[in-house]
Amino acid sequence: MTQATNPTAGTVNRRIVLAARPHGEPNESHFRLEEGRVPTPRDGEVLLANRILSLDPYMRGRMSAAKSYAEPVAIGDTMVGATVAEVVASHHPDFSVGETVVGFGGWQDFTTSDGKGLRKLDPAAAPVSTALGVLGMPGMTAYTGLLNIGAPKPGETVVVAAATGPVGSLVGQIAKRRGARAVGIAGGPEKCAYLRDVLGFDAALDHRADDFPDALAAACPDGIDVYFENVGGAVFDAVLPLLNTFARIPVCGLVSGYSATDLPPGPDRIPLLMRAVLSKRLHLQGFIVWDFADQEAEFLREVGGWLREGSIVHREDIVDGLENAPTAFAGLLKGRNFGKLLVRIA
């Protein structure tokens, strides 16, 4: 069904653009809120009203001009991001007004799309916000990274950093489903209690505690077979000596260093790492979720089923107002969120 009218005529499209590239930690000064006309969809396009915006650590890399796996956001361009949106006007035969979709609408109220990359959502099957979290890119990251690279076996010990986040929380729950021990690392006693009491992790460690390395060793008396890396830095320093022979390390993120301006202080630790890689025959592999794009249907089917039957738990941290996205994003990089961070636009 198509519809040619534009119901947003006379309204304004707010968007948050990259105002400057940060040197170090980003803050509100690196973003700018602009207002402009609502875009008009052309033939073969839909007009989307973004309702929920996902904030994710990878966005810090898009703010930098450094070479990476994806192109940086240009100065003055709208910040990138996944969104849940409503189709409010359509010139596309596959999309009807009123349908809800997930796509990459960015940090703005409205966007147009030719339909590529959009996935329709059924609000009766799961809350639409889950398409940005446990049933979205973070959930698929956990599922594909753990099962393809980590490959946990019954009785093994799986350790995951940033364990209350949308990736880490699902990693631990899948590890438990595979018969492994799940050890989570998080920041603060409240998050650690959530890992143990709500998610069912076997142990939870506060990386801010003075005795963190010793506590981690005590929680992993048989060593670590799988370490799902989201953080890097001091957390990895504590994990490295505990890795077992043939341990697997899926490297999903290194958030502790995303805003670093210099190399970490101290001696060169690369020889120590490489000796461990060699002597313990470690499998250390970085990955991007879309390396496993062909597994998306399987992921949605299996994890969606777990969610509907209530056998997995997810948590959302919701901020109201597009204008508050920059502050919320800066807090995300400092671990201030508790669960999947979302911005409710409308």
Side-chain angles (χ1 to χ4, degrees):
M1 176 179 178
T2 62
Q3 181 166 323
T5 59
N6 184 349
T8 64
T11 61
V12 169
N13 183 37
R14 299 172 304 157
R15 66 185 190 123
I16 294 178
V17 305
L18 181 63
R21 300 203 185 279
H23 181 72
E25 294 180 351
N27 57 51
E28 292 81 355
S29 70
H30 299 110
F31 304 92
R32 184 173 63 249
L33 179 64
E34 295 184 347
E35 294 185 350
R37 292 182 177 180
V38 175
T40 299
R42 297 176 294 185
D43 287 343
E45 292 186 336
V46 292
L47 176 64
L48 303 174
N50 294 322
R51 303 304 189 198
I52 309 172
L53 167 67
S54 175
L55 296 182
D56 300 282
Y58 78 83
M59 295 171 177
R60 176 61 183 86
R62 301 291 183 90
M63 298 175 72
S64 170
K67 186 176 181 180
S68 185
Y69 63 89
E71 291 295 320
V73 176
I75 299 297
D77 277 1
T78 305
M79 283 292 297
V80 296
T83 53
V84 166
E86 179 186 350
V87 178
V88 292
S90 178
H91 297 295
H92 194 296
D94 296 335
F95 297 92
S96 299
V97 169
E99 290 182 322
T100 302
V101 298
V102 62
F104 280 84
W107 296 27
Q108 58 186 339
D109 289 319
F110 297 94
T111 188
T112 56
S113 171
D114 62 4
K116 294 178 181 177
L118 296 184
R119 176 165 61 89
K120 293 183 183 182
L121 301 177
D122 179 3
V128 294
S129 60
T130 60
L132 300 174
V134 65
L135 295 182
M137 180 272 289
M140 186 168 165
T141 298
Y143 181 87
T144 58
L146 180 65
L147 297 183
N148 288 282
I149 303 171
K153 303 177 182 64
E156 290 190 325
T157 295
V158 176
V159 175
V160 57
T164 60
V167 175
S169 61
L170 188 56
V171 165
Q173 292 179 84
I174 295 174
K176 293 286 292 181
R177 298 182 76 93
R178 291 295 191 269
R181 292 184 68 244
V183 177
I185 300 170
E190 183 183 7
K191 290 182 177 180
C192 288
Y194 175 76
L195 291 174
R196 292 189 301 267
D197 301 339
V198 179
L199 298 187
F201 278 55
D202 296 282
L205 293 308
D206 184 354
H207 67 81
R208 298 172 182 166
D210 293 337
D211 65 343
F212 167 65
D214 292 336
L216 180 62
C220 304
D222 298 321
I224 297 172
D225 301 293
V226 180
Y227 173 55
F228 198 101
E229 176 64 286
N230 291 316
V231 173
V235 172
F236 184 73
D237 288 344
V239 166
L240 181 59
L242 304 177
L243 292 171
N244 289 330
T245 301
F246 300 115
R248 290 83 69 195
I249 307 101
V251 181
C252 167
L254 300 165
V255 69
S256 69
Y258 283 173
S259 296
T261 57
D262 298 297
L263 292 174
D268 180 2
R269 286 168 284 187
I270 292 179
L272 177 67
L273 170 62
M274 295 308 293
R275 181 175 179 178
V277 169
L278 174 61
S279 63
K280 294 185 177 182
R281 283 85 87 200
L282 303 178
H283 179 186
L284 181 73
Q285 181 178 338
F287 76 101
I288 305 300
V289 62
W290 302 120
D291 295 342
F292 304 106
D294 61 341
Q295 296 176 21
E296 183 176 23
E298 172 194 329
F299 153 71
L300 290 170
R301 182 175 60 253
E302 188 158 27
V303 179
W306 298 339
L307 186 65
R308 285 188 291 275
E309 71 186 22
S311 63
I312 58 169
V313 178
H314 73 103
R315 179 178 177 129
E316 296 174 342
D317 189 339
I318 300 176
V319 174
D320 282 305
L322 178 64
E323 67 278 6
N324 294 316
T327 300
F329 176 68
L332 169 69
L333 298 179
K334 296 178 181 179
R336 292 176 182 165
N337 61 299
F338 195 165
K340 171 62 197 154
L341 185 57
L342 302 170
V343 175
R344 187 158 40 208
I345 298 175

